Amino acid sequence: MDLATGWALFSGLIVLAGTVSTRSIVLRGGGGLPGGLTTDLRARCVLPGLVGAALTVLGLLLMGLRQFQEFRDPFAGPMEDLTLLMGTPWAAIWLRAMVGATALAGALLLSRKWPRAGWGVAAMLVAGLAFYPGLSGHAGGAERWRTLSLILDAVHVLAAGTWVGGLVVLLYLEASAHRDRQGEGQTEVGGVLAELVARFSPVAVGSVVILTVSGVWASLREVQAVPELWSTRYGLLLVAKLILVGAVLALGALNWRRLSLRLGTAAGDRALRRSARVELVVAQLVVLVTALLVRTSPGGG
């Protein structure tokens, strides 16, 4: 259940952050995209945003169920246990996150009629939800530098979402544009993928830098000595995560430095799509390891 819970929650947050950043940064301005296509692509961001919100709500529901099961007292009734659980500080944080995720879905639906207001509210709610993993995890229990740890954890989630979630949204937008153009009898996508990649690449690079800095801080905060990397379960999971993140970075570098040069041709576009999909598969492994990591006590055997 830990894997399913963590995967749904982190995947949802990553897709949400990627959707907001793609719409507000990557798709800002017309640039080299065909006339009217930018507006159309920005409108299409609602669907991946709703998927992200749904995954986040699912993850929170599973987390609530898991917490209730762990809180259960075999000598007390379920309603008594539930009443006691809902009076804990954990429940207060959880309820705020549930309200925020549900309201976010509503804001995305409203954005179809009122784009500026809807997406503005959605962006603020995504920023708030990014604090939830830290508040309910290791950063929330930090004895020193708690506020800074919580901020950097939230920044870490947003940076991961901007990079990995942004790639998910980018592939969805390009595929939907490609499909629509084929339906209109056009065989070429008109350089949409090349333009989107050109816009996305600097955003991804900046996200990786932020992700690295915040990740190093979290690692130094939890791992007190180098031997803990191979002598504790937390350390081994952290090493596994770092290896997988390195693999994702290597694939991203390949996409950026080599395959992006071939964009604009059918073969080049296909090669980049394949490589990006592999990158996302490895990124999902990172999410699964993270789901285990947040449930593992640092320093434990």
Side-chain angles (χ1 to χ4, degrees), residues 11 35 97 111 164 197 241 297:
S11 293
S111 72
V164 178
V197 169
K241 179 179 177 179
S297 176

Side-chain angles (χ1 to χ4, degrees), residues 88-192:
T88 63
W90 175 89
I93 297 170
W94 180 82
L95 280 171
R96 290 188 182 97
M98 278 294 295
V99 171
T102 305
L104 203 157
L108 290 171
L109 291 173
L110 288 174
S111 72
R112 292 174 171 172
K113 186 172 183 181
W114 299 289
R116 180 169 297 184
W119 281 102
V121 171
M124 289 187 290
L125 289 172
V126 168
L129 285 168
F131 281 89
Y132 178 76
L135 286 168
S136 61
H138 298 138
E143 296 180 0
R144 298 179 59 191
W145 305 102
R146 182 176 183 271
T147 300
L148 179 60
S149 296
L150 288 172
I151 292 172
L152 289 178
D153 263 32
V155 168
H156 192 76
V157 171
L158 293 173
T162 299
W163 173 27
V164 178
L167 183 59
V168 171
V169 177
L170 183 146
L171 289 177
Y172 161 73
L173 293 176
E174 190 275 333
S176 63
H178 184 82
R179 184 174 58 251
D180 287 354
R181 285 175 172 265
Q182 284 186 324
E184 296 170 0
Q186 302 181 39
T187 57
E188 297 296 331
V189 185
V192 172

Side-chain angles (χ1 to χ4, degrees), residues 188-243:
E188 297 296 331
V189 185
V192 172
L193 183 59
E195 176 64 22
L196 289 176
V197 169
R199 291 165 173 242
F200 176 70
S201 293
V203 175
V205 170
S207 299
V208 168
V209 173
I210 296 172
L211 194 67
T212 302
V213 173
S214 56
V216 168
W217 167 269
S219 299
L220 293 175
R221 183 188 69 217
E222 304 299 346
V223 178
Q224 303 300 316
V226 174
E228 291 183 11
L229 292 174
W230 58 81
S231 63
T232 66
R233 184 169 186 263
Y234 185 92
L236 291 172
L237 285 171
L238 179 60
V239 170
K241 179 179 177 179
L242 293 175
I243 292 173

